[in-house]
């Protein structure tokens, strides 16, 4: 704020006028650039604040210029769209617009690294434009503030990150479906509490993650819809007297519309927390998948490809699942970022506060990390070998077919609880190596003791033996969404359809951004 004694060193005229609240303008203003003369100062500093409010000893602390590299491209696009709109509305004449747009091309070609210091990329680019064009360059900042500008830049950049994360989820789903379709009949142990619980199949297991990741895609697509709205034209928070066309800048920048209320537009960041939490949720899904695959490779159920493994610098025999461990680890960063962003925003008063400067950079970074972790998980899944023999042997371990035997007795007319009691009585006496015939005998003994009659008074011996076989056990559980091969084939087909639909949605989003970028480029070229 400007009442900081270390920065508010004089009360002389401000570089670009006063804000709506009359405070010295640390934010830029909505004035026309005609009442002030931003290019005329010989004092050192940026065109915006000239010698004043340079930050003094807190200069570095105030500046986001380095972190703003992430929104350099975004800011150039936002500047271009704004200038085109100002010209179309007759707020800036075409010749001046042409000069500013040419200067922006030059600034773009020089790159972010060529910007001279300043509080942020917005100020630095404006300074660079004024250096090239002269005082008229300052007309670029007519009818806007850095507040709506930065909010627009964040959304412009974030939508790319979200689209990239969406694309990564599609890749992962494709890999999960591909491998699942090869293992519809491959039995494996299913666990609860990390103990063998019931046999299932590799396809059923992989589809369980495909379902979760599909919801991650949906959450990100949903977030995208709220990210992709333009705050531009809101100015500092209180609108502008200039006849701006907010819908036009939104269109030029590929946004689906505006955030209408100008105070909401420039100060809210819920779109950011929504994207951050969707990313954190995706990373949490990935961490579970990674953990499972680490355990499975430990048990010899899968062999990870060398491409997704690492070794030890001292123990030459080691093949470690490092990529999956890092995938699991990214969730820590993503959850931290989501929590950090919410914490930063909690309790912020309306409208703009400088805390906001610290809200977005970490989200961009984590979005890239989560997308990469998602692609790595997809690669690890696609290239791992599932050891069918080991999996089949393990599928029946720990009397995991017990529930199926109880189901059989219940289907034959016993109350399920009584059936459960019979099988529970048999459980401690059943060993992993027992043949189905031996195990059936053991259950029969239990039935005689619990029911006072033979098991085979209720069900056939062959039926019991089948229920004790892991593959038969799986095949019997054919309820919707269950592991029986037919149920899984239905689920695979439905998942493939949903994946195709989401891919089409993502492609449509991408091409509408490309079309907007092209049309903005054409508009800009028309001023040359
Ligand atoms: N760098 C600032 C940010 O990221 C831009 C907005 C500055 N606005 C202000 N009123 N100081 O938030």
């Amino acid at each position: 704020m400007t009442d900081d004694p270390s920065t508010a060193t004089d009360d002389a005229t401000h570089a670009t006028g006063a804000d709506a609240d009359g405070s010295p303008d640390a934010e830029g203003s909505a004035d026309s650039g005609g009442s002030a003369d931003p290019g005329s100062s010989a004092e050192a500093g940026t065109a915006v604040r000239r010698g004043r409010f340079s930050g003094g000893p807190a200069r570095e602390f105030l500046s986001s210029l380095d972190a703003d590299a992430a929104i350099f491209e975004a800011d150039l696009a936002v500047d271009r769209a704004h200038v085109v709109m100002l010209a179309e509305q007759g707020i800036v004449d075409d010749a001046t617009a042409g000069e500013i747009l040419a200067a922006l091309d030059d600034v773009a070609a020089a790159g972010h690294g060529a910007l001279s210091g300043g509080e942020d990329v917005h100020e630095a680019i404006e300074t660079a434009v004024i250096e090239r064009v002269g005082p008229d360059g300052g007309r670029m900042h007519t009818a806007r503030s850095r507040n709506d500008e930065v909010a627009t830049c964040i959304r412009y950049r974030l939508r790319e990150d979200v689209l990239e994360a969406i694309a990564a989820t599609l890749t992962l789903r494709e890999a999960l479906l591909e491998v699942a379709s090869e293992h519809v009949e491959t039995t494996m142990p299913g666990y609860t509490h990390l103990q063998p619980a019931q046999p299932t199949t590799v396809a059923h297991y992989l589809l369980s993650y495909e379902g979760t990741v599909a919801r991650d895609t949906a959450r990100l697509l949903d977030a995208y819809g709220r990210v992709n709205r333009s705050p531009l034209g809101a100015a500092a928070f209180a609108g502008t007297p200039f006849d701006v066309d907010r819908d036009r800048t939104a269109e030029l920048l590929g946004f689906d519309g505006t955030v209408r209320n100008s105070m909401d537009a420039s100060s809210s960041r819920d779109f950011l927390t929504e994207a951050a939490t969707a990313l954190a949720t995706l990373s949490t899904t990935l961490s579970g998948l990674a953990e499972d695959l680490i355990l499975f490779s430990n048990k010899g159920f899968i062999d990870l490809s060398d491409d997704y493994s690492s070794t030890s610098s001292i123990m030459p025999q080691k093949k470690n699942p490092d990529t999956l461990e890092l995938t699991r680890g990214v969730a820590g960063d993503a959850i931290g970022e989501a929590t950090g962003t919410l914490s930063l925003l909690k309790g912020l008063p309306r409208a703009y506060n400088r805390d906001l400067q610290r809200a977005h950079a970490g989200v961009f970074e984590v979005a890239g990390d989560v997308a990469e972790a998602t692609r790595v998980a997809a690669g690890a899944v696609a290239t791992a070998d599932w050891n069918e023999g080991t999996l089949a042997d393990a599928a029946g371990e720990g009397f995991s077919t017990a529930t199926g035997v109880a189901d059989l007795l219940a289907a034959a007319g016993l109350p399920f609880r009584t059936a459960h009691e019979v099988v529970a009585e048999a459980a401690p006496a059943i060993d992993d190596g027992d043949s189905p015939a031996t195990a059936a005998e053991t259950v029969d003994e239990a039935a005689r003791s619990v029911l006072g009659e033979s098991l085979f008074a209720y069900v056939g011996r062959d039926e019991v033996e089948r229920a004790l076989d892991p593959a038969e056990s799986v095949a019997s559980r054919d309820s919707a969404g269950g592991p029986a091969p037919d149920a899984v084939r239905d689920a695979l087909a439905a998942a493939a359809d949903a994946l195709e639909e989401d891919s089409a949605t993502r492609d449509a989003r991408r091409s509408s951004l490309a079309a907007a970028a092209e049309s903005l480029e054409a508009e800009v070229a028309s001023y040359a």
Side-chain angles (χ1 to χ4, degrees):
M1 282 301 289
T2 51
D3 52 4
D4 176 345
S6 70
T7 56
T9 50
D10 76 60
D11 279 316
T13 52
H14 312 305
T16 54
D19 276 338
D21 63 3
S23 63
D25 183 23
E27 326 186 350
S29 77
D31 80 25
S32 69
S35 61
D37 192 6
S40 66
S41 172
E43 290 178 61
T46 65
V48 176
R49 58 200 75 245
R50 297 186 257 178
R52 199 162 168 241
F53 299 126
S54 63
R59 193 184 170 86
E60 291 270 307
F61 185 64
L62 276 169
S63 177
S64 60
L65 187 57
D66 289 347
D68 286 350
I71 52 170
F72 177 65
E73 294 298 332
D75 198 58
L76 289 164
V78 169
D79 287 343
R80 288 175 175 129
H82 184 65
V83 170
V84 166
M85 182 278 293
L86 291 177
E88 288 174 354
Q89 296 295 102
I91 299 169
V92 164
D93 65 67
D94 285 359
T96 305
E99 283 182 59
I100 294 172
L101 292 168
L104 285 170
D105 281 349
D106 200 38
V107 172
H112 179 265
L115 294 172
S116 56
E119 267 194 18
D120 51 36
V121 71
H122 322 293
E123 186 182 298
I125 289 179
E126 186 184 340
T127 300
V129 167
I130 291 168
E131 271 163 21
R132 286 161 173 80
V133 174
D136 273 344
R139 295 187 189 278
M140 179 174 82
H141 206 55
T142 311
R144 74 173 188 189
S145 150
R146 283 186 296 154
N147 296 354
D148 60 335
E149 188 180 355
V150 72
T152 312
C153 292
I154 299 166
R155 289 167 179 270
Y156 185 97
R157 158 72 203 237
L158 186 64
R159 67 187 186 183
E160 292 294 332
D161 292 323
V162 172
L163 279 182
E164 191 197 334
I166 289 169
T169 63
L170 301 176
T171 306
L172 175 56
R173 286 164 63 187
E174 203 182 328
L176 290 165
L177 291 183
E178 176 76 35
V179 180
S181 70
E182 291 161 12
H183 290 289
V184 173
E185 316 242 356
T186 308
T187 51
M188 69 174 280
Y191 298 89
T192 59
H193 312 278
L194 267 187
Q195 296 177 35
Q198 287 185 278
T200 184
T201 66
V202 170
H204 188 246
Y205 164 79
L206 293 172
L207 273 171
S208 78
Y209 272 109
E210 198 282 333
T212 316
V213 180
R215 288 191 297 279
D216 286 313
T217 310
R219 273 183 282 271
L220 288 164
L221 280 171
D222 214 30
Y224 184 93
R226 276 178 287 273
V227 169
N228 199 34
R229 297 255 148 198
S230 175
L232 200 60
F237 73 89
T240 166
F242 289 94
D243 182 24
V244 292
D245 186 344
R246 298 190 59 199
D247 297 321
R248 177 63 174 149
T249 44
E251 183 194 20
L252 287 168
L253 291 166
F255 289 109
D256 296 327
T258 60
V259 182
R260 218 55 175 175
N261 179 285
S262 61
M263 192 181 305
D264 179 22
S266 62
S267 55
S268 60
R269 295 290 186 272
D270 54 293
F271 69 92
L272 194 60
T273 56
E274 188 176 4
T277 51
L279 289 163
T281 306
L282 165 59
S283 75
T284 302
T285 307
L286 296 178
S287 72
L289 174 64
E291 171 71 6
D292 272 349
L293 296 180
I294 291 165
L295 288 172
F296 291 172
S297 76
N298 184 263
K299 288 174 193 281
F301 292 173
I302 60 171
D303 285 324
L304 284 177
S305 152
D306 284 0
D307 285 349
Y308 290 92
S309 309
S310 188
T311 188
S312 159
S313 62
I314 178 171
M315 299 166 282
Q317 84 287 7
K318 295 275 282 171
K319 177 174 161 182
N320 299 324
D322 293 37
T323 58
L324 294 169
E325 291 166 358
L326 284 165
T327 297
R328 191 174 55 187
V330 164
D333 298 47
I335 294 164
E337 190 52 42
T339 315
T341 305
L342 285 163
S343 309
L344 179 121
L345 296 173
K346 179 188 171 294
L348 281 190
R350 284 286 193 242
Y352 179 87
N353 300 274
R354 194 60 174 269
D355 317 41
L356 292 176
Q357 178 166 290
R358 303 185 68 84
H360 45 274
V363 181
F364 302 149
E365 198 177 316
V366 142
D369 292 346
V370 172
E372 193 180 4
T374 309
R375 288 190 297 267
V376 165
V381 166
T383 54
D385 281 331
W386 292 79
N387 297 324
E388 298 184 15
T390 313
L391 286 162
D393 290 346
E397 278 174 10
F399 192 23
S400 68
T401 50
T403 310
V405 177
D407 284 340
L408 190 67
L409 290 174
L414 273 184
F416 181 79
R417 189 50 56 212
T418 310
H420 184 275
E421 201 184 334
V422 170
V423 183
E425 170 87 7
I430 290 181
D431 294 324
D432 283 343
D434 288 353
S435 68
T438 310
E441 278 309 316
T442 310
V443 181
D444 185 40
E445 273 166 39
R448 287 172 198 279
S449 119
V450 174
L451 306 172
E453 55 185 334
S454 167
L455 176 70
F456 307 120
Y458 293 88
V459 287
R461 188 179 289 271
D462 55 332
E463 280 179 286
V464 177
E465 289 184 18
R466 270 207 305 278
L468 286 161
D469 176 72
E472 295 281 356
S473 163
V474 164
S476 73
R477 277 173 280 123
D478 58 357
S479 50
D486 281 348
V488 164
R489 282 188 194 97
D490 289 348
L492 273 170
D497 287 349
L499 175 58
E500 206 172 302
E501 211 174 288
D502 286 351
S503 301
T505 306
R506 184 258 172 196
D507 290 348
R509 296 290 199 188
R510 177 89 1 272
S511 31
S512 101
L513 292 189
E518 240 173 73
S519 89
L520 176 58
E521 207 178 302
E523 289 296 345
V524 167
S526 75
Y527 289 85

